[in-house]
Amino acid sequence: MTRAAFMVDGLTLAGDLRVPGGVGPRPGLVLTGPFTGVRSQVTGLYAERLAERGYVTLAFDHRNWGESEGLPRREEDPQGKLRDLRAAVSFLRSRDEVDRERIGVVGVCLGAGYALKFAAFDPRVRTFAGIAGAYNNPYTMRAGMDYPSVLAGLTEVLERQDQGGGVEYMPAVSEEGEAAMPGDEPYAYYGTSRGASPHWSNSVTRASVRELVTLDNMMGADFLSPKPALIVHGVVDRFCSPEGAEEAYRRLDQPKKLVWVDAKQHIDLYDREPYVTQAVDATADFLAEHL
């Protein structure tokens, strides 16, 4: 593994490039991961495991997160993330170790949705794989909450900031009380030693929640064809619903594959065995066939 840095929109993004041993240019993978996550957590683990399977992998911190530049800190920027992925592919294709015509994108959790939408519209990307994916869709979001009230409250936050107020933050996770990802399960990963990283902080801008509830990454499934697509998902997932994975799969055209893993928590696919190995095996097998 070597540290990597690349530029996009005048910002320097920090990444880790993993190059397997062996001869000749290898297929390359760009990885993107969970909401609030940094590259030393979930994406780094999958990047390491897929590099062991013969792929050059790039895990990086998106703008505003981790060691990458960007303001406000810890703010979700959907369009910025798509541009980050574009620049990450450009960086990977510039490397002598990489076969520039064999590039795939792998996303975990929220990153799976971004990876899907990005891959659908970038002709340089040949394959997509999503693991425990959040395929955000405003229609689904609207059905599960008092949508007008939520939008009104978040717009008030933005109005205060527009009028000169400071950026407002909230906890990313909390076992009890307010958080962007409330409840015991997100806290069990991010709030404990499991997900500990010196580059992760338990805070996120309030405005980030508005981005999540208005985001439409599901549309990527309608435009990905004829690129191959793999979806790996836990049979039980309270945070990224299996129904969402099924909808994405239905909207994809062939070639496609859906692999169910007998995981009972969303975060099982972050770092728990045998689930990570099962996801890596399914991804590597799919990429071996299509990339």
Side-chain angles (χ1 to χ4, degrees), residues 170-253:
M170 65 190 302
V173 296
S174 177
E175 285 188 286
E176 298 180 359
E178 182 187 50
M181 299 180 287
D184 57 347
E185 188 176 327
Y187 187 85
Y189 181 79
Y190 290 105
T192 70
S193 59
R194 281 178 65 180
S197 168
H199 307 298
W200 185 86
S201 299
N202 189 13
S203 71
V204 60
T205 66
R206 288 187 180 275
S208 294
V209 178
R210 185 182 190 279
E211 300 301 332
L212 295 182
V213 302
T214 58
L215 182 62
D216 188 356
N217 282 335
M218 182 70 81
M219 66 173 291
D222 301 327
F223 291 89
L224 187 71
S225 178
K227 298 175 184 179
L230 170 70
I231 291 179
V232 180
H233 213 87
V235 294
V236 178
D237 192 326
R238 290 187 295 139
F239 289 87
C240 297
S241 73
E243 291 78 12
E246 289 175 331
E247 180 182 351
Y249 181 75
R250 285 196 306 271
R251 290 168 64 165
L252 289 162
D253 290 327

Side-chain angles (χ1 to χ4, degrees), residues 5 65 104 185-186 204-205 248 250 258 272 280 285:
W65 302 94
E185 188 176 327
V204 60
T205 66
R250 285 196 306 271
L258 175 59
R272 293 293 199 204
V280 169
D285 290 347

